[in-house]
Amino acid sequence: MEPATYAVDPQPTGPPWRPWKEVGADAAARQGVFAPVYSVSFGARNRIVIAPGDSRSMTLIPDKCEGYCQGVDGRAGPNLACVGCGRAVATRMDDCGTWQTVWLEPDAVVRHPSGLSAGPIPGWDDLACAEHRVPPVEFDGSWSRRWEAALGVSLTHVVAVTEHRPVSLPAGPVAEVLGDAVGRYLPAGPGARSVGLAGPGIHLPRPRPDILLVPRHPLTGAPWRPPGDEEAVVPLDSGVWAYLAHPGETSPMPATGALPEGVLRDDYPLPPRPWRPLTPHHHAFEDTLVRLPAVRTPRLRRCRDAYRQAVSPASAGWPDEQLIVSE
């Protein structure tokens, strides 16, 4: 989370966790999970996440600071207590492989106006601003974790909209950055559905592609839609979308003219280049997929089976025998 921002998760998150075999398909569906998983969260809905630096007047609860590596992962429930009353009010997470966050328990906190102006509500036009773009590569040459998560979520929706059928990407940044991931997660073959980039400030492709990659609103999370258009859209993180739609100058050094295709610039330091193709974050992909009711269809069930086999052969097929498949 950016400083001085927050988000609310409407889905149940965190402990207590109950095994799928104990919960069953119907109870899991009421929790928003539509395919077998190892365990289902029965934690609070509408938990509020903030940046750790924005937390105040809280202290760690020592006997609830379990973690896998050199941090805490919140497995035992809220691990931060109010310094005034001692009540458990939030969960700090900072273990390896997790974003550093503080999750506030909705029934333990009360909102009070700060008296400060919240600033103007961002509009769609703000996505064209250079500061809104999120580069795909970090300073150390690795892929952006935000891009990996955003790609996992959006690719799930592409798989659902197409029912795991082939797609064709538009030439340019979309194909260059996302092409390898789409090739890994979706089959090749004839009858591919076309994908195009659309949103504020760019012309809608003609003829209209079968699927439009559009930005989520940076505040509400609602996907952008062309006026009067009710066809398929796939939402994308607004910062990632802004980079694809308005990539701008990729080097910090000025240049004149154009280099021949395939020739790299000799600026120093050289622009960072990841050593592997961009890969969707597997938790973002599967966690999103199991929360889509469409995952119960036979085609998407086979897609998930194939994905789990590729990620972890030992987990493939378990506990899918309990999944009720229906069209």
Side-chain angles (χ1 to χ4, degrees):
M1 301 299 298
E2 295 291 334
T5 66
Y6 73 94
V8 179
D9 191 342
Q11 299 288 351
T13 56
W17 298 88
R18 294 174 57 189
W20 173 273
K21 292 182 178 180
E22 174 187 317
V23 171
D26 292 339
R30 289 192 291 271
Q31 297 300 106
V33 179
F34 299 96
V37 293
Y38 181 78
S39 58
V40 179
S41 171
F42 281 78
R45 296 178 183 266
N46 299 316
R47 295 172 78 214
I48 305 140
V49 60
I50 62 175
D54 288 337
S55 61
R56 298 289 187 274
S57 302
M58 289 184 280
T59 184
L60 284 168
I61 304 172
D63 59 353
K64 289 193 173 184
C65 290
E66 295 93 338
Y68 283 103
C69 295
Q70 299 180 15
V72 293
D73 58 16
R75 70 179 71 180
N79 54 27
L80 289 173
C82 170
V83 296
C85 68
R87 180 181 180 181
V89 294
T91 303
R92 171 70 187 263
M93 298 181 67
D94 59 13
D95 206 358
C96 296
T98 64
W99 275 319
Q100 297 199 24
T101 56
V102 167
W103 289 87
L104 305 175
E105 295 298 316
D107 61 347
V109 296
V110 178
R111 184 179 66 176
H112 288 287
S114 66
L116 302 175
S117 173
I121 297 176
W124 290 117
D125 293 340
D126 293 331
L127 272 59
C129 298
E131 57 268 21
H132 196 81
R133 296 195 294 264
V134 176
V137 182
E138 303 283 3
F139 290 113
D140 63 358
S142 63
W143 288 110
S144 163
R145 306 302 185 268
R146 182 168 165 180
W147 271 69
E148 291 177 334
L151 180 56
V153 173
S154 294
L155 195 56
T156 304
H157 289 281
V158 171
V159 169
V161 167
T162 62
E163 293 188 322
H164 198 228
R165 290 183 171 88
V167 300
S168 60
L169 299 175
V174 175
E176 293 169 3
V177 181
L178 308 184
D180 184 81
V182 169
R184 286 170 176 260
Y185 282 70
L186 288 166
R193 303 191 67 185
S194 58
V195 176
L197 197 67
I202 62 176
H203 294 293
L204 186 66
R206 296 296 180 189
R208 185 200 189 282
D210 298 313
I211 304 163
L212 295 179
L213 288 176
V214 301
R216 292 183 184 273
H217 191 276
L219 181 63
T220 68
W224 180 90
R225 275 192 175 276
D229 189 316
E230 297 299 326
E231 298 298 322
V233 299
V234 168
L236 189 61
D237 178 295
S238 61
V240 173
W241 179 91
Y243 183 90
L244 293 173
H246 311 286
E249 173 60 59
T250 58
S251 171
M253 303 295 290
T256 59
L259 293 175
E261 185 177 355
V263 176
L264 300 178
R265 295 177 61 156
D266 59 357
D267 301 331
Y268 184 82
L270 292 173
R273 296 175 62 87
W275 60 270
R276 59 173 176 82
L278 176 61
T279 304
H281 193 283
H282 65 278
H283 285 310
F285 178 84
E286 186 164 19
D287 289 353
T288 304
L289 185 61
V290 299
R291 291 189 176 277
L292 299 178
V295 74
R296 288 178 164 181
T297 64
R299 184 178 286 273
L300 287 191
R301 181 187 180 184
R302 289 193 296 270
C303 167
R304 182 171 182 247
D305 287 346
Y307 168 76
R308 296 176 72 192
Q309 176 67 39
V311 173
S312 178
S315 68
W318 184 93
D320 287 349
E321 64 273 11
Q322 300 184 47
L323 179 61
I324 300 174
V325 179
S326 65
E327 292 288 357

